[in-house]
Amino acid sequence: MTTSVVVTGAAGFIGSHLVRTLTERGCNVVATDVAARLPDPVLDGLDASTCAYVPGDLRRDDTLIALADAAGERATVVHVAALLRFAEMAVALGQGAPSFPDALEVFDVNVMATWRLCSRFATTGQLARFVYVSTRSVFGSVVVEGAEIPETCPPSPIGIYGSSKTAAEFGVLAFRDVFHLDLAVARVTGVFGPWQGPVSWIGKAVDGVLAGTGYREPSGAEDRYELTYVKDTARGLADLALADRLEHAIYHVSSGTMHSLGEVAGAVRLAAPDAAVEFGAGSQPGMRTRLPLSGGRMASELGFRAQWTLNDAIADYLDVERSGHYGPEAAATLHAGAVD
């Protein structure tokens, strides 16, 4: 029996890269999003006949029915779709404060739609595996001893977005235990890359380079983040979806490497020497010390490690955006087969 792979949020940032990665690996993909169609670059150069697209809102029964019908008898579901609003750095990035209707919509999409999607596929007997894509934001207020946050660390979120992702995690993990589902939570962090848009410091800087205006922030050069190139993130999520067996319920798909915004600016200038990109001294308002996520389970169980260095990732990011061509899926092909 052929198992298809359903990808939600497929027209969005991480979802679109995951659709491409799975299609490149020869999977039968069923992609879904609220957009009418997938953006053109997603399947550029690949066999698009192996990817079906089902537009619709996951909060609607008719969308879930159509998605289940398109998936066939057996499906692994990778649930990427979410409303990324009111996250920890939202105010610093220029996002307004939430209203109660806004907050309720975030919970409706990020929590209830997640549980109903999982329930739909499990109830029909179609579900092979459910991979819920969560986020480092579940650790917004966590304080731990050591150099990284382990997979076993209990969530402690801040704000609307982190709380919604935490609630969704608790729900699907309860489904896993009560209904004995093959289900895993995959927390991602600091993801950046092509098709992201200006929703991060890197996205704003790259957009400034592409527009020829450059980009400058008065502060933030010393602020450090765990940054993961989206091609690594998509590869890790695909590994979780396609693994024969998973030993754990929670995984961190992460780079384990911290970089400052000053280093980001340097990487942009290295890739585009004429670019005027700069972050001033000091920290952004509200910035706190952050720790990287431990990727031990991904490494030991699936052999996954992030491949893209910051410099190579920024150069590739700019090249994809400028040329419209996706380039290498993995960093190992950049330097005559040498792994970074």
Side-chain angles (χ1 to χ4, degrees):
M1 181 186 300
T2 301
T3 301
S4 59
V5 184
V6 174
V7 179
T8 71
F13 172 43
I14 295 175
S16 59
H17 286 272
L18 179 58
V19 166
R20 184 177 178 88
T21 298
L22 291 167
T23 302
E24 193 271 339
R25 291 194 188 186
C27 298
N28 292 317
V29 177
V30 179
T32 185
D33 207 308
V34 294
R37 59 194 295 272
L38 282 176
D40 290 335
V42 174
L43 297 176
D44 180 50
L46 301 180
D47 181 4
S49 68
T50 62
C51 179
Y53 187 71
V54 178
D57 188 329
L58 293 175
R59 292 173 291 180
R60 294 176 56 94
D61 286 338
D62 57 350
T63 300
L64 296 179
I65 291 169
L67 195 57
D69 288 345
E73 294 182 53
R74 199 75 173 152
T76 287
V77 178
V78 187
H79 182 40
V80 185
L83 278 183
L84 181 55
R85 295 181 187 166
F86 320 122
E88 288 179 64
M89 294 178 289
V91 174
L93 286 166
Q95 193 175 114
S99 66
F100 270 107
D102 291 333
L104 290 174
E105 184 181 22
V106 169
F107 278 95
D108 195 27
V109 171
N110 292 356
V111 184
M112 285 304 302
T114 297
W115 296 345
R116 294 180 70 231
L117 175 69
C118 182
S119 174
R120 163 66 65 172
F121 276 88
T123 300
T124 60
Q126 294 170 273
L127 187 63
R129 174 175 296 154
F130 192 91
V131 179
Y132 174 62
V133 181
S134 189
T135 168
R136 189 209 177 282
S137 293
V138 303
F139 296 124
S141 64
V142 159
V143 177
V144 298
E145 294 182 2
E148 58 188 9
I149 301 175
E151 294 89 344
T152 54
C153 182
S156 181
I158 291 175
I160 302 299
Y161 176 70
S163 297
S164 72
K165 298 295 282 187
T166 301
E169 276 195 18
F170 283 147
V172 296
L173 290 172
F175 285 175
R176 178 183 188 267
D177 294 340
V178 173
F179 300 110
H180 309 293
L181 301 182
D182 185 344
L183 184 150
V185 169
R187 296 174 182 142
V188 302
T189 180
V191 187
F192 71 99
W195 316 331
Q196 182 177 26
V199 296
S200 71
W201 303 121
I202 298 180
K204 286 176 177 286
V206 167
D207 279 6
V209 172
L210 296 174
T213 60
Y215 184 75
R216 188 181 190 284
E217 282 287 332
S219 61
E222 287 85 33
D223 291 343
R224 297 176 64 80
Y225 302 86
E226 181 179 12
L227 300 176
T228 312
Y229 195 41
V230 68
K231 291 184 179 183
D232 276 329
T233 302
R235 181 168 54 87
L237 293 176
D239 287 350
L240 285 170
L242 302 178
D244 290 337
R245 185 171 183 272
L246 297 178
E247 299 289 338
H248 296 92
I250 296 173
Y251 296 84
H252 292 166
V253 182
S254 56
S255 68
T257 303
M258 303 290 287
H259 289 287
S260 69
L261 290 182
E263 290 175 293
V264 169
V268 174
R269 292 192 296 267
L270 183 65
D274 295 332
V277 173
E278 182 182 353
F279 292 89
S283 291
Q284 292 284 348
M287 176 61 189
R288 297 175 298 103
T289 301
R290 300 163 67 93
L291 292 176
L293 300 184
S294 168
R297 289 178 177 175
M298 289 291 297
S300 63
E301 204 174 312
L302 302 177
F304 172 85
R305 289 178 176 80
Q307 293 184 347
W308 289 87
T309 66
L310 179 64
N311 288 345
D312 283 342
I314 293 292
D316 186 70
Y317 184 172
L318 284 166
D319 185 63
V320 174
E321 293 281 13
R322 284 170 169 160
S323 69
H325 299 296
Y326 197 69
E329 305 280 342
T333 62
L334 284 177
H335 308 293
V339 178
D340 292 329

